[in-house]
Amino acid sequence: MKVFLVAGARPNFMKVAPLMESFRARRDRFPELQPLLVHTGQHYDALMSDEFFRDLGMPTPDIHLGAGSGSHAEQTARVMVAFEKICLEHRPALVVVVGDVNSTMACAISAKKLGIAVAHVEAGLRSRDMSMPEEINRLCTDVISDFLFTTDSLADQNLLAEGCPPERIHFVGNTMIDSLQKHLNRALNTPLPFGLEAGAYALLTLHRPSNVDDPVALQRLFDAINEIAERIPILFPAHPRTAQRLAAIHLHDRVSVIEPLGYLAFLGLMARARMVLTDSGGIQEETTVLHVPCLTLRENTERPITCELGTNILAGTDPTDILRHAMRVLNAPAPTNRIPEKWDGQAGGRIADVLLAWLRLGSNIPAAQHSAPSQ
Ligand code: UD1
């Protein structure tokens, strides 16, 4: 019995690794189970993909679709066509997708239209910002998924408010945090570059189209970031999309631009930073668990639990606001904050238990009417 676990882009890999491990660990109780790792190839650079597989100890993908970059329609279409072919060839009983990237939505749609059950890990997150491609991916994926695995209770509320049947929703915690907990000690042994000292630098990431595609918007962010650099050195591993656009931007000498980092090196840098500035989604969650202050350089977040309980501050994109929040963080003691419920390193196992219980009942039971035990 085949199960496809789909990964496409950098933020998927650390979410899929614990699932693969949990499925493999349960094979002795379910010998006919055959979990297969499918890489869509949305991210393909060694630094955006291979390094993550190595760091996370993930097996080589069983199937690689080689979809690559393109416009949203081109990329989504290429993944859909290639994924449909392998679904027809292998006839998996179940397809598991994670996160909110184009590959997530593309594979969910292809599978569902072939009548294959779909499970979405990290369901129910909503930014309410339809200019974000990820918001469209989240909505489309959730509405057709048979199993919706959520990371927090606010996501459950979003799904219920949209009319989702409660029996499809399973609050299981956060597989990204499973990976963080498993690898943190190794990450803390990675060297800090440029003679940086723990607690005495800030870490920056930027890649959202709304922040980096328009040079005026990007320079406005750097007006604030350059001021912050007067106070604390800033390390900036730049996403390829952003790196292409930095030549036109004025950067302070104390902003060090480096290539994208692997999982362990980045986690090690994040865990020892005084502050993180980012427009990423997952980093808002990781910094909350690491108790490192995070300024999110966006006007909204699909992860409000990290602001409610964690270290995240929605700083917006106005330079004055960003600078004000940064100075407040730098002048305050390190935060003490709470960690959301079930972000305990066990989410992958909970998900595997729900799905294997359903598969054992016989995947001839229509997935949308399943009665797998809720966690
Ligand atoms: C994608 C996800 C975003 C996620 C991000 C993490 C969507 C809609 N967006 O955005 O949610 O936060 O990944 O990185 O799925 N490129 C390379 N090498 C690569 C991959 C990309 O050079 O391995 C460059 C190409 O110029 C490409 C551009 O980056 O066109 C954008 O890549 P793409 O996968 O389309 O979106 P991301 O911005 O990476």
Side-chain angles (χ1 to χ4, degrees):
M1 182 179 288
K2 291 179 180 173
V3 173
F4 280 175
L5 300 174
V6 178
R10 186 169 63 173
N12 290 164
F13 304 134
M14 65 293 274
K15 296 170 192 168
V16 167
L19 294 173
M20 194 62 186
E21 197 177 313
S22 301
F23 271 96
R24 285 186 155 191
R26 284 158 176 76
R27 264 196 307 197
D28 53 342
R29 285 186 265 150
F30 201 157
E32 65 273 38
L33 180 71
Q34 200 185 345
L36 295 174
L37 185 59
V38 179
H39 191 325
T40 67
Q42 174 170 347
H43 283 174
Y44 44 85
D45 281 359
L47 295 177
M48 301 289 286
S49 178
D50 304 2
E51 193 127 340
F52 280 73
F53 274 71
R54 253 194 312 277
D55 282 355
L56 291 158
M58 283 170 85
T60 309
D62 297 286
I63 304 171
H64 202 295
L65 303 181
S69 300
S71 71
H72 284 281
E74 285 165 349
Q75 186 177 62
T76 306
R78 274 205 295 271
V79 174
M80 283 181 73
V81 170
F83 192 69
E84 184 183 57
K85 281 198 183 110
I86 60 158
C87 284
L88 288 169
E89 187 185 329
H90 292 266
R91 284 281 163 195
L94 174 70
V95 166
V96 184
V97 296
V98 302
D100 56 15
V101 302
N102 285 343
S103 300
T104 310
M105 179 185 72
C107 295
I109 292 175
S110 287
K112 188 68 187 170
K113 287 199 166 183
L114 291 171
I116 299 166
V118 175
H120 184 206
V121 174
E122 200 186 86
L125 299 184
R126 299 288 182 266
S127 66
R128 310 286 174 211
D129 176 359
M130 291 296 275
S131 71
M132 275 181 94
E134 293 82 359
E135 184 72 356
I136 299 170
N137 294 339
R138 290 180 203 116
L139 285 161
C140 293
T141 306
D142 284 346
V143 82
I144 60 172
S145 289
D146 302 282
F147 295 86
L148 295 156
F149 292 107
T150 59
T151 50
D152 65 58
S153 54
L154 301 178
D156 288 37
Q157 287 170 28
N158 289 336
L159 292 166
L160 292 170
E162 288 168 15
C164 174
E167 63 274 18
R168 286 194 205 168
I169 305 170
H170 305 266
F171 169 34
V172 290
N174 193 327
T175 60
M176 182 175 234
I177 304 307
D178 293 7
S179 285
L180 183 152
Q181 293 193 346
K182 180 171 177 190
H183 298 289
L184 183 58
N185 283 341
R186 274 169 71 217
L188 287 170
N189 286 325
T190 54
L192 291 174
F194 304 121
L196 291 171
E197 284 177 29
Y201 63 91
L203 184 64
L204 169 68
T205 80
L206 286 174
H207 73 282
R208 295 261 158 235
S210 57
N211 277 340
V212 307
D213 284 359
D214 170 11
V216 176
L218 187 57
Q219 185 61 66
R220 266 169 64 76
L221 291 179
F222 272 95
D223 289 347
I225 292 162
N226 289 340
E227 288 271 339
I228 299 166
E230 288 283 334
R231 170 81 182 263
I232 188 165
I234 300 179
L235 192 63
F236 180 22
H239 184 287
R241 174 184 206 110
T242 315
Q244 289 162 13
R245 289 155 172 90
L246 284 180
I249 302 298
H250 167 65
L251 298 182
H252 193 285
D253 291 347
R254 298 221 300 172
V255 177
S256 305
V257 182
I258 57 172
E259 291 202 301
L261 295 168
Y263 181 73
L264 289 176
F266 189 80
L267 177 57
L269 275 171
M270 197 163 40
R272 289 169 286 181
R274 177 69 184 83
M275 172 173 75
V276 173
L277 303 126
T278 191
D279 60 6
S280 152
I283 291 173
Q284 299 170 44
E285 299 180 339
E286 291 169 327
T287 46
T288 274
V289 172
L290 295 167
H291 304 288
V292 171
C294 176
L295 295 197
T296 295
L297 309 185
R298 290 170 43 189
E299 302 298 342
N300 52 57
T301 176
E302 63 288 335
R303 292 163 161 91
I305 197 96
T306 60
C307 298
E308 266 179 37
L309 301 182
T311 58
N312 190 18
I313 297 164
L314 199 53
T317 53
D318 180 84
T320 316
D321 290 340
I322 296 170
L323 193 57
R324 180 169 50 85
H325 285 296
M327 290 308 147
R328 193 177 291 162
V329 164
L330 292 173
N331 291 330
T336 51
N337 64 282
R338 284 162 60 203
I339 293 179
E341 193 187 345
K342 295 192 187 176
W343 290 19
D344 56 2
Q346 307 299 320
R350 292 189 189 107
I351 292 168
D353 286 342
V354 171
L355 293 175
L356 295 188
W358 174 74
L359 288 166
R360 262 201 208 95
L361 288 175
S363 47
N364 52 340
I365 298 170
Q369 297 160 29
H370 70 85
S371 57
S374 190
Q375 291 291 295

